[in-house]
Amino acid sequence: MPKYSIAVDIGASTGRLILGYLEGGLLKLEGIHRFENKIVKKGDSFCWEADKLFQEIIIGLKKCTELGIKPDSIGIDTWAVDFVLLDENDQPLTEAVSYRDPRTDGMMEEVFNLFSKERLYLETGIQFQKFNTIYQLYSIKKNHPEILEKAKSFLMIPDYFNYLLTGKKANEYTNATSTQLVNAFTKNWDQQLLDVLGINREMFEEIKTPKTVLGNLSKELVSEIGFDLKVILPATHDTGSAVIAVPEEDESIYISSGTWSLIGVENYFPICITKALDYNFTNEGGIDYQYRFLKNIMGLWMIQEVKRNYNDEYSFAELVDLAREAKGFKAIVNVNNDRFLKPDNMIDEIMNYCIETGQSVPSTPGEVAKCIFESLSESYKEAVKEIEEIFEKKFKKINVIGGGCQNEMLNQLIADVTNKEVYAGPVEATAIGNIVTQLMALGEIENIKQARSIIKDSFEVRKYLPVQHIRS
Ligand SMILES: Nc1ncnc2c1ncn2[C@@H]1O[C@H](COP(=O)(O)OP(=O)(O)OP(=O)(O)O)[C@@H](O)[C@H]1O
Ligand SMILES: [Mg+2]
């Protein structure tokens, strides 16, 4: 009997429960449950609906019973940096406030007054983004110190769900590194940094690594769902799980393409040199203490917002088709400009940018989409140049993984602007990375090398050659 593992993968726009198991040496996937995720306004804050998301996990597990499946394990991954704080009675003290909430405005600069930017990078190796946990916590410290005083547990979103499933508290390593509070060398909470910021070290849990079996479901949940299973820690940061599933590891740069674009390479040590800091690269902790040297840049969030602004009249695939048809149109926006992080209306923001920069202004859905895809590819080209400069070498291939790798126009654009071979797939990289990690913990897969070879054999990866290459 194969072992059945459930990956719970919750992204900024959708969540899913996917069942995975080995059959004849190949990894098989079956979708169990899909649900929407979105940011909602609660009082003055932009928040995730954490309890609703947890209920969706339970609904998904109950569906397993209906489908006659009895999974052996479950692993949860989500986006990074966000968290909840629990009080002494383990009750939430805070909403799961989203990283897009403006509470972190100006906080980065205040933290730098206490702990220099250079030292922060040298110790944590983490990219500077205004929404990192460190700035979120500092904003609470500054504006609501009473909350921090009462806080007894700090749990990141997947840690919180794991706690609700098992009653056990732990901070998973890959996600913990995204806080910018973990020392890249000791791989533990940076005591000195926490002291300087005046943040209570006691509320942080023990850091546990991927492949740890956290425990079983609580008794109440076993009776509600109808079966028990092991709760295993995957790389609970979704990017960590996605990068585990990169099949083209040799001489290859990966782009994990979803709401964000994460572009980088896998590494065995953190690179905290000045150039990496200047280019704002991160060294996030990965499975087996590998590091993801990457840059978090704008992703398909822009097209997600545009789709929403058009009242979901067009599907993603239709927007790609329309963009292809808008042949004569050309305008490039700087996708990494902060104005595109959370504009009131993405279409207006893009149009205004084009007016301000004296370019043609996109007026049809196809022109807007074309502008986004071409602008994204230009930003990837820039990041590739930076990676090659830091590593002082050329990479041959780019492996695009995640939902965005279904965008054939974007894949071809990436190949063309970087003049590299692009490999697109697997689409469900995050869930796959999550599942193989559970299967490693269960002894079904030996190590990450074997996991990647199974992934390569099991899923379609499409190849795109640069146009220059085809012509020559
Ligand atoms: N059929 C399609 N054709 C082209 N692009 C698609 C298609 N389906 C999905 N996408 C792209 O995939 C993106 C979603 O990717 P993915 O499902 O990996 O993101 P997510 O998991 O919801 O978010 P996150 O990056 O926060 O994890 C969409 O924004 C869309 O641009
Ligand atoms: Mg995702």
Side-chain angles (χ1 to χ4, degrees):
M1 273 284 283
K3 294 269 201 291
Y4 293 100
S5 295
I6 300 257
V8 179
D9 168 33
I10 310 181
S13 55
T14 49
R16 54 277 224 180
L17 271 75
I18 294 179
L19 177 78
Y21 55 94
L22 290 175
E23 193 179 82
L26 298 180
L27 184 63
K28 303 282 177 184
L29 300 183
E30 276 174 42
I32 300 286
H33 181 49
R34 258 187 122 84
F35 49 93
E36 190 193 28
N37 186 23
K38 60 180 191 314
I39 296 169
V40 294
K41 192 113 194 241
K42 293 191 182 177
D44 288 337
S45 304
F46 289 99
C47 303
W48 303 106
E49 298 174 288
D51 294 322
K52 191 164 160 277
L53 293 175
F54 183 71
Q55 281 317 311
E56 295 288 356
I57 298 174
I58 301 301
I59 292 170
L61 285 175
K62 286 181 180 165
K63 277 193 183 171
C64 290
T65 312
E66 288 161 25
L67 294 167
I69 299 162
K70 195 197 156 303
D72 296 278
S73 68
I74 185 170
I76 301 174
D77 69 73
T78 74
W79 68 97
V81 303
D82 291 341
F83 60 90
V84 291
L85 299 175
L86 304 187
D87 67 12
E88 57 191 0
N89 300 315
D90 293 329
Q91 294 307 308
L93 273 169
T94 58
E95 291 286 350
V97 177
S98 159
Y99 60 83
R100 288 193 200 269
D101 187 89
R103 69 177 170 170
T104 53
D105 288 355
M107 290 301 135
M108 217 154 74
E109 293 68 26
E110 296 213 13
V111 166
F112 296 161
N113 288 335
L114 300 170
F115 209 89
S116 80
K117 185 175 180 182
E118 291 71 22
R119 190 166 155 216
L120 194 53
Y121 192 67
L122 208 60
E123 296 203 0
T124 65
I126 293 296
Q127 167 181 28
F128 293 95
Q129 296 184 110
K130 71 173 191 180
F131 49 67
N132 287 348
T133 320
I134 181 172
Y135 313 114
Q136 295 196 39
L137 281 172
Y138 195 72
S139 140
I140 300 179
K141 164 94 193 162
K142 209 173 157 219
N143 299 312
H144 299 283
E146 71 289 352
I147 293 181
L148 266 195
E149 276 157 29
K150 282 190 216 141
K152 291 285 177 279
S153 306
F154 163 89
L155 296 175
M156 302 191 73
I157 303 296
D159 300 332
Y160 177 55
F161 294 153
N162 285 333
Y163 166 67
L164 294 178
L165 287 176
T166 62
K168 296 204 171 129
K169 295 181 204 154
N171 292 134
E172 186 276 326
Y173 171 67
T174 66
N175 211 18
T177 64
S178 78
T179 61
Q180 208 167 22
L181 290 164
V182 170
N183 187 296
F185 301 89
T186 65
K187 302 169 177 72
N188 209 338
W189 298 112
D190 193 312
Q191 179 75 57
Q192 239 187 339
L193 177 55
L194 291 169
D195 286 348
V196 169
L197 300 180
I199 295 172
N200 176 15
R201 164 74 177 87
E202 303 310 311
M203 70 179 178
F204 295 91
E205 307 297 331
E206 189 186 336
I207 292 183
K208 297 201 167 156
T209 52
K211 295 187 267 189
T212 300
V213 179
L214 191 64
N216 285 66
L217 291 186
S218 68
K219 282 203 187 75
E220 300 78 55
L221 283 179
V222 173
S223 53
E224 186 182 342
I225 294 164
F227 60 87
D228 195 4
L229 80 179
K230 289 191 169 79
V231 177
I232 297 179
L233 300 182
T236 65
H237 179 183
D238 52 7
T239 314
S241 276
V243 169
I244 291 169
V246 171
E248 291 297 328
E249 46 182 335
D250 293 336
E251 296 299 311
S252 167
I253 288 173
Y254 54 74
I255 301 177
S256 177
S257 177
T259 305
W260 292 96
S261 302
L262 300 313
I263 178 164
V265 295
E266 213 166 33
N267 218 3
Y268 290 94
F269 49 87
I271 303 176
C272 305
I273 59 172
T274 313
K275 196 170 262 180
L277 178 137
D278 290 346
Y279 287 151
N280 210 9
F281 274 82
T282 202
N283 294 272
E284 291 168 355
I287 192 165
D288 298 337
Y289 287 129
Q290 292 189 356
Y291 291 85
R292 286 188 308 287
F293 183 73
L294 63 79
K295 195 169 188 174
N296 189 348
I297 52 182
M298 176 54 80
L300 293 157
W301 161 252
M302 287 178 80
I303 198 75
Q304 288 169 10
E305 281 294 277
V306 163
K307 181 172 175 284
R308 195 173 65 87
N309 295 155
Y310 285 124
N311 299 318
D312 288 315
E313 233 174 278
Y314 311 96
S315 68
F316 288 123
E318 282 166 346
L319 285 168
V320 174
D321 287 342
L322 291 171
R324 274 211 191 94
E325 286 162 21
K327 282 203 176 66
F329 184 80
K330 179 102 187 174
I332 300 288
V333 301
N334 173 9
V335 292
N336 296 309
N337 190 310
D338 272 359
R339 64 195 286 171
F340 298 118
L341 272 182
K342 205 174 185 328
D344 291 335
N345 182 300
M346 187 65 82
I347 302 170
D348 291 347
E349 201 66 37
I350 292 170
M351 290 170 78
N352 287 337
Y353 185 103
C354 292
I355 293 167
E356 288 162 29
T357 51
Q359 302 185 76
S360 310
V361 181
S363 58
T364 63
E367 290 176 355
V368 172
K370 183 168 191 266
C371 170
I372 291 176
F373 302 148
E374 290 189 335
S375 302
L376 282 173
S377 71
E378 285 300 322
S379 122
Y380 299 156
K381 180 182 170 183
E382 194 59 31
V384 165
K385 210 175 97 211
E386 293 169 359
I387 293 169
E388 293 188 331
E389 211 180 301
I390 289 167
F391 281 82
E392 295 181 1
K393 72 172 201 181
K394 294 273 176 209
F395 290 81
K396 287 200 189 99
K397 315 177 209 168
I398 296 178
N399 194 165
V400 185
I401 54 173
C405 81
Q406 297 166 98
N407 186 330
E408 298 204 339
M409 178 180 181
L410 184 55
N411 293 337
Q412 188 61 54
L413 279 168
I414 301 170
D416 292 346
V417 300
T418 62
N419 200 24
K420 295 187 193 300
E421 293 168 13
V422 166
Y423 293 77
V427 176
E428 290 291 358
T430 310
I432 293 168
N434 178 328
I435 287 164
V436 295
T437 305
Q438 295 180 60
L439 293 177
M440 283 190 267
L442 294 171
E444 295 281 282
I445 296 178
E446 226 167 277
N447 51 33
I448 191 157
K449 196 170 164 51
Q450 193 197 6
R452 282 187 170 144
S453 138
I454 293 171
I455 292 166
K456 204 167 179 165
D457 292 342
S458 308
F459 301 99
E460 187 192 24
V461 176
R462 288 198 184 166
K463 188 172 170 179
Y464 297 79
L465 295 175
V467 171
Q468 292 94 316
H469 182 96
I470 298 167
R471 286 200 189 121
S472 62

